[in-house]
Amino acid sequence: MSTSATATTTRLGDAVGELRRPRVESPWRRAARRFLRHRLATAGLIVSLLLILAALFAPALAPRDPLQISILDKFAAPMTKGFVLGADEVGRDLVSRLLYAGRISLLVGFAAMAVTIVVGTLIGLFAGFYGGRVDAVLMRFTDALLCFPTIFLLLVLAAFVGASLLSITLIIGLTSWMELARILRNQALTLRERDYVQAGRALGASNAWLIRRHMLPNTLGTIMVAATLNIANAVLAESYISYLGYGIQPPEASWGNMLNNAQSYFSTAPWIALFPGVLITLTVASFNFLGDGLRDALDPRARR
Amino acid sequence: MTNYLIRRVGQSALLLVLVTAIAFGLMRLAPGGPESVYALSPTMRAEDLARIRASFGLDQPLHIQYVKWATGMLTGDWGRSYRDSRPVRDVILDRVPATLELTITALAFAIVVGVTIGVLGALRPNSASDYLATIGAMVALSIPTFWFGLMVIFIFAEKLDWIPSGGRETLGAGFSLSDRLHHLVAPALVLGLVLVATWSRYTRATMLETIGQDYVRTARAKGVAERHVVWSHAFRNALGPLLTLAGIQLPFLFGGALVTESVFTWPGMGRLFVDSLGYRDYPVLMGVLVVTAILVIASNLLADFLVAFVDPRIRMR
């Protein structure tokens, strides 16, 4: 009787003690813990890191020169003549081409994402922070761009400006910032009414300082999530325009343009069409899962 | 309500002006200008080119060109195709039915399947089937539509020979409904897959929100049958956001249609666009851009009207 009472007291005491010293966990640590609990997001992180490493070390990993033509080996099936994933219509090694194509596709993905984030953040924060006429002009322009299907804009611009690594990157970046701008604008509209922003203003802080010190850090979570999801979208966009022939130009390989003529070789060499698509899907899916996990991890409303 | 609708119509009109201005400006980006096609001809002399410029009105200031072109659009004069000199309006209108046939079928399929999956997921959140559906939707969103189309053609047309590998009908066979449907199934399902994913995700999220509301708990407490609670109380309130999604999704749908039409050689607007791009047929390109944008603006407006119609809270504003 008495022992169990003591036990209860101790347990109660422990509980009180725990209440008194709450575990101090920094927001970033908490985000990391929540993120890792998300199994799919972790898998997405691992797969995307592997893909990035494979692209970085493509020259070391590729068994052959991706551009080396060898007519005798044309349409070599996977696992024959030393071609692990087979050879294409002019006998180029598919593994090597996929590795080098991954460099291009991922490079475009990351660089276009950077453009999207810079433009989207600037337009969104300016519109929301300044409000009034600036907001009206910027947001009507954003709305108007959102009326066009992105692929239509991408194709027209790519056809007119001409395809190069730089132009494709800019085109993708400049046609996908609108949604981020809209979200950030709404956040900035509420943020600018907050007491600490008003206090800063009353103390004579400049607009630039307020944006840098308050707007940007408070929207960083949104921006990081958007950045991750945008890599996925940019990789997808590059594959679409390259598949349709207006993106990365052969002989340089990208996952999209490797599928360019794949349909004509269906009966002889279906593997040419299979592997690039699998890699695009894998890449896009892992960045999507990563972004989804980040969103859950950084969501301040969700507890635990 | 009337004020709200009038305001929305006004906003849409402004948007229309902006959208046409952007499309117009975009075409001016074309290298060498719209007359560059003629400059390609080796027998073309500089003074002939100048005459062509003048006949197109290209020597006038930009804003005058825009106003001229915009009034032309309004009065049904959309210019002539560079490729075969047919009126652009006819060239485009010829392709609209095929695109609508494909997109509406895909959307209908996506709504039925996506909403069902989404509602079921919201009823049993975090169950094994919900988890699977969530993963499936994410993967579906990550597959490039054109590649999925290629794989479908490879498996079901090349290997199994269940479906034709492209086109809208068997050429020269005359109209037959079963033949049309036979051609429609694969592209509609391919285009619909991504849409199923967005619809199921969005329905699930919206339903989870409405199902947690007080009025749903009240209905359950009163002993209302669960089926009635789900569909008449929770789902009815989720309908507004879903209708808005249908409107917002349209540009995405047309973009997907362009890719699907290219893979399945479907004679719609998307394929017309890709073909015209190859021929640098600027009047047709601009026409398709503007027509899709108008369809997008109109359907967003329609979605807002419908939302106001089903949701009295908005009607009151």
Side-chain angles (χ1 to χ4, degrees):
Chain A
M1 175 79 193
S2 72
T3 38
S4 84
T6 343
T8 321
T9 339
T10 348
R11 252 184 273 133
L12 251 178
D14 284 351
V16 171
E18 210 155 89
L19 273 180
R20 279 213 191 112
R21 346 171 226 103
R23 268 186 302 151
V24 183
E25 194 178 30
S26 78
W28 291 111
R29 241 194 114 82
R30 187 175 56 223
R33 184 171 51 79
R34 278 202 224 140
F35 179 83
L36 288 173
R37 213 183 39 204
H38 212 304
R39 247 173 297 165
L40 280 168
T42 319
L45 180 66
I46 294 171
V47 174
S48 45
L49 283 178
L50 286 178
L51 286 162
I52 293 169
L53 285 176
L56 279 177
F57 296 106
L61 293 171
R64 294 163 202 241
D65 177 356
L67 297 179
Q68 189 201 324
I69 292 171
S70 138
I71 293 299
L72 284 178
D73 297 323
K74 126 178 174 182
F75 299 134
M79 305 308 283
T80 60
K81 298 188 187 171
F83 293 99
V84 177
L85 295 180
D88 68 3
E89 69 273 19
V90 287
R92 292 174 296 198
D93 176 39
L94 228 51
V95 175
S96 312
R97 282 182 68 71
L98 286 168
L99 282 166
Y100 277 89
R103 290 189 129 186
I104 301 288
S105 297
L106 285 172
L107 182 64
V108 171
F110 275 90
M113 172 273 281
V115 177
T116 301
I117 294 301
V118 170
V119 178
T121 305
L122 282 179
I123 292 191
L125 290 187
F126 276 142
F129 183 80
Y130 289 104
R133 205 168 291 168
V134 178
D135 178 38
V137 171
L138 288 176
M139 282 303 115
R140 289 302 79 73
F141 182 60
T142 310
D143 290 345
L145 278 182
L146 278 170
C147 289
F148 295 106
T150 317
I151 298 178
F152 286 62
L153 288 182
L154 284 172
L155 285 175
V156 168
L157 286 169
F160 286 0
V161 180
S164 71
L165 203 55
L166 180 68
S167 70
I168 296 297
T169 303
L170 285 176
I171 287 167
I172 295 176
L174 292 176
T175 47
S176 43
W177 51 267
M178 288 86 81
E179 270 157 46
L180 175 65
R182 238 192 206 174
I183 299 171
L184 288 182
R185 175 253 183 192
N186 290 340
Q187 290 190 356
L189 270 183
T190 49
L191 276 176
R192 70 175 187 157
E193 304 302 331
R194 289 283 161 79
D195 290 341
Y196 50 80
V197 178
Q198 298 296 335
R201 212 189 284 275
L203 288 170
S206 70
N207 285 335
W209 189 86
L210 285 173
I211 291 179
R212 228 179 25 243
R213 190 72 185 81
H214 290 305
M215 298 289 164
L216 211 50
N218 274 303
T219 48
L220 199 60
T222 312
I223 296 175
M224 279 172 57
V225 173
T228 317
L229 296 176
N230 250 297
I231 296 175
N233 275 334
V235 169
L236 214 49
E238 183 277 320
S239 79
Y240 281 120
I241 40 178
S242 293
Y243 167 71
L244 290 168
Y246 292 94
I248 304 299
Q249 298 298 316
E252 186 132 53
S254 85
W255 288 331
N257 78 16
M258 288 177 72
L259 289 162
N260 230 324
N261 296 316
Q263 199 168 353
S264 358
Y265 311 122
F266 264 168
S267 39
T268 35
W271 53 88
I272 298 180
L274 182 66
F275 300 120
V278 170
L279 277 177
I280 299 171
T281 310
L282 194 64
T283 311
V284 177
S286 42
F287 281 107
N288 272 335
F289 280 124
L290 191 62
D292 230 33
L294 267 184
R295 180 171 20 218
D296 290 348
L298 295 173
D299 187 355
R301 279 172 307 176
R303 260 163 275 143
R304 283 188 299 161
Chain B
M1 163 109 155
T2 339
N3 276 337
Y4 168 71
L5 295 186
I6 290 175
R7 208 171 59 235
R8 283 293 293 120
V9 173
Q11 286 167 351
S12 302
L14 176 67
L15 214 50
L16 194 62
V17 175
L18 281 173
V19 160
T20 48
I22 291 175
F24 185 78
L26 215 53
M27 289 301 143
R28 300 296 115 165
L29 270 181
E35 74 277 23
S36 60
V37 192
Y38 296 93
L40 289 177
S41 158
T43 54
M44 189 63 70
R45 288 170 307 169
E47 53 264 42
D48 293 331
L49 210 56
R51 225 181 21 252
I52 289 174
R53 279 182 65 85
S55 77
F56 283 165
L58 291 171
D59 48 353
Q60 285 164 329
L62 267 187
H63 60 277
I64 294 184
Q65 287 185 42
Y66 170 72
V67 170
K68 263 195 169 164
W69 169 76
T71 30
M73 286 299 280
L74 281 178
T75 52
D77 172 20
W78 297 7
R80 279 177 183 279
S81 159
Y82 286 172
R83 191 165 140 201
D84 50 13
S85 303
R86 285 179 63 210
V88 171
R89 203 174 60 136
D90 298 353
V91 174
I92 292 176
L93 288 182
D94 275 356
R95 301 296 192 102
V96 170
T99 294
L100 289 183
E101 182 185 318
L102 177 65
T103 47
I104 290 174
T105 318
L107 190 61
F109 162 74
I111 290 177
V112 172
V113 179
V115 166
T116 315
I117 296 178
V119 169
L120 290 179
L123 291 181
R124 287 182 195 72
N126 303 321
S127 65
S129 56
D130 176 42
Y131 196 61
L132 269 182
T134 313
I135 299 177
M138 196 56 121
V139 173
L141 280 174
S142 309
I143 301 179
T145 305
F146 67 89
W147 179 70
F148 184 55
L150 287 176
M151 290 298 113
V152 166
I153 292 175
F154 176 65
I155 296 170
F156 296 102
E158 287 279 320
K159 291 284 153 197
L160 299 173
D161 206 17
W162 288 357
I163 50 160
S165 64
R168 192 183 176 200
E169 59 196 338
T170 312
L171 288 175
F175 179 84
S176 107
L177 187 64
S178 66
D179 179 53
R180 283 291 186 87
L181 288 177
H182 194 52
H183 281 83
L184 179 63
V185 174
L189 291 187
V190 166
L191 177 57
L193 180 81
V194 191
L195 305 173
V196 170
T198 47
W199 275 87
S200 68
R201 278 164 65 97
Y202 203 74
T203 308
R204 180 179 181 275
T206 328
M207 276 297 277
L208 272 180
E209 211 160 280
T210 51
I211 260 178
Q213 298 287 329
D214 289 343
Y215 53 76
V216 171
R217 197 178 322 136
T218 310
R220 280 193 175 134
K222 281 195 304 187
V224 177
E226 183 64 17
R227 231 176 79 186
H228 201 66
V229 172
V230 170
W231 293 106
S232 309
H233 292 256
F235 185 69
R236 189 145 179 223
N237 278 288
L239 210 55
L242 289 180
L243 277 170
T244 315
L245 173 70
I248 293 174
Q249 209 180 34
L250 216 70
F252 189 66
L253 182 60
F254 282 132
L258 179 143
V259 179
T260 315
E261 286 173 7
S262 297
V263 176
F264 285 93
T265 55
W266 187 265
M269 277 199 295
R271 224 169 88 83
L272 174 67
F273 192 80
V274 176
D275 289 347
S276 306
L277 213 52
Y279 286 100
R280 311 251 145 182
D281 196 343
Y282 302 122
V284 175
L285 288 175
M286 184 135 72
V288 175
L289 265 185
V290 172
V291 169
T292 44
I294 289 175
L295 284 173
V296 168
I297 294 174
S299 59
N300 275 326
L301 194 62
L302 182 70
D304 283 350
F305 278 27
L306 287 175
V307 171
F309 184 72
V310 297
D311 193 340
R313 282 168 302 188
I314 289 178
R315 233 178 294 160
M316 290 304 153
R317 262 195 245 151

